[in-house]
Amino acid sequence: MLTPTALFRLIVGWGVFLALQLGAPLLAGGLPSLMLWLVLLAIVVVITLCAFGVVTEAEHLASRLGDPYGTLVLTLSIVLIEVILISSVLLGPGEHPTIARDSVMAVSMIILNLVIGIALIVGGLRHPTRRVNRTGVSAYLALLVVLLAVAFVFPALLGVDGSYSLAQAIPIAVMTVLIYAFFLIRQMGAQRADFQEPDASDADTARPRMVAVIAEHRAELAGRAAMIVATMVPIVLLAHDMAALLDDGLSRIGAPVALSGILIAMIVFLPETITTIRSAAAGEMQRVSNLCHGALVSTVGLTIPAVLVIGILTGQPIVLAESPTGLVLLLATMMLTLATFAGRRVSALPGLAHLLLFFIYALSVFG
């Protein structure tokens, strides 16, 4: 576990954090634009490097535990980084009432259109006869319809100025967590087979019981979990500095406010994007669904309650209502996703349609 690469990530992550603490007076005094972007670029590179480290350890756990447990560990590791980054921005200096909305919307478009579009093209061209487990995909999409509506639609219909009131935020946060927890229990228990490859062999489905796996590999699992935590903590600590510098840098160039959320989403999900494309190239299309749809379910199911709680505790508004253009894009994306995975097999052609929707989303941000 303590490979030279893993040690390098730990040293760089913690070293850059300590360097920023020593240079805090200089950062507080304001930096020239060129120096600001260089420091910001260095922080983003280090966060990305540490994120790859988290994903590497999570992938080792995934191979040991098997699906859907392993993929769930990988997905939750990435999503926790996303939640931590958004929470750090909200708890940092300045006002960021729309950062959660912009980030979750960016994650939705990146995962459902960009990543799945590329995966469909790669997997469809190399493995044109591959299928997904439609029962599992249907469970993901059913939950996504509700969670995305709770996140983006109902705040505009029920809330005030695009935000849930206190009386609405508390039960919505609680219900969202309960629904997500129930989904995880079913996914890891009675419906576990629904999230495995449809043509998995008996050897794949008859894996040892989780208790036996944990008992046999207790030291390795504990060590890799500790490595995940040790590599993730610098991401949390660096996120605060990144948020402040990113806010300053984007304001200087007059960039759209939503660009901050898009950058956070791209940084966090880059490692999982690579993992997803590798799975598609190997013909593991159900794992593509587990990684993408599962990541989005986890993102919405954890981010929305987290930011609502932060809004309640700090008293700052959390604007979640999406624009009409964004809602149309979400509707088109969900309809296309349903059509893509409703067939008997996946193909490359719908991947181009998903990429087109992502291109239109990018135009809407900068338009």
Side-chain angles (χ1 to χ4, degrees), residues 66-265:
D67 277 334
Y69 307 107
T71 301
L72 183 61
V73 170
L74 177 60
T75 297
L76 287 179
S77 300
I78 293 295
V79 172
L80 284 176
I81 297 175
E82 168 83 4
V83 174
I84 289 167
L85 288 176
I86 294 174
S87 300
S88 299
V89 173
L90 287 174
L91 295 173
E95 296 290 331
H96 305 87
T98 64
I99 185 65
R101 179 196 68 189
D102 296 337
S103 296
V104 176
M105 180 64 179
V107 169
S108 302
M109 293 296 104
I110 289 172
I111 290 178
L112 293 180
N113 288 323
L114 179 61
V115 179
I116 283 186
I118 296 174
L120 286 173
I121 293 174
V122 172
L125 291 177
R126 299 191 64 174
H127 307 277
T129 61
R130 300 300 292 175
R131 299 177 295 127
V132 294
N133 196 322
R134 287 189 287 181
T135 304
V137 175
S138 297
Y140 282 132
L141 298 185
L143 207 58
L144 281 177
V145 169
V146 176
L147 291 177
L148 291 175
V150 169
F152 298 125
V153 180
F154 294 130
L157 301 177
L158 304 177
V160 179
D161 296 329
S163 302
Y164 285 120
S165 66
L166 178 61
Q168 295 169 339
I170 294 175
I172 286 174
V174 172
M175 287 299 298
T176 301
V177 171
L178 290 177
I179 290 173
Y180 178 66
F182 179 73
F183 173 78
L184 290 185
I185 292 172
R186 297 294 296 177
Q187 184 184 25
M188 293 186 294
Q191 293 184 238
R192 183 167 65 95
D194 294 340
F195 301 92
Q196 296 176 333
E197 296 293 334
D199 53 355
S201 64
D202 293 338
D204 295 327
T205 57
R207 293 180 62 88
R209 291 175 59 87
M210 185 55 54
V211 176
V213 174
I214 294 176
E216 182 180 355
H217 304 283
R218 183 184 300 109
E220 178 188 355
L221 297 177
R224 295 201 182 279
M227 285 293 295
I228 288 176
V229 173
T231 311
M232 190 179 294
V233 170
I235 296 176
V236 179
L237 299 174
L238 290 171
H240 181 272
D241 295 308
M242 186 196 75
L245 293 174
L246 185 60
D247 190 42
D248 186 14
L250 293 179
S251 64
R252 292 189 188 187
I253 63 176
V257 177
L259 186 58
S260 177
I262 295 174
L263 291 176
I264 290 175

Side-chain angles (χ1 to χ4, degrees), residues 260-271:
S260 177
I262 295 174
L263 291 176
I264 290 175
M266 293 181 68
I267 291 169
V268 172
F269 281 92
L270 176 60

Side-chain angles (χ1 to χ4, degrees), residues 3-22:
T3 62
T5 303
L7 290 174
F8 175 74
R9 291 190 180 104
L10 288 174
I11 293 172
V12 171
W14 286 100
V16 171
F17 166 70
L18 293 176
L20 288 175
Q21 298 311 300
L22 294 175

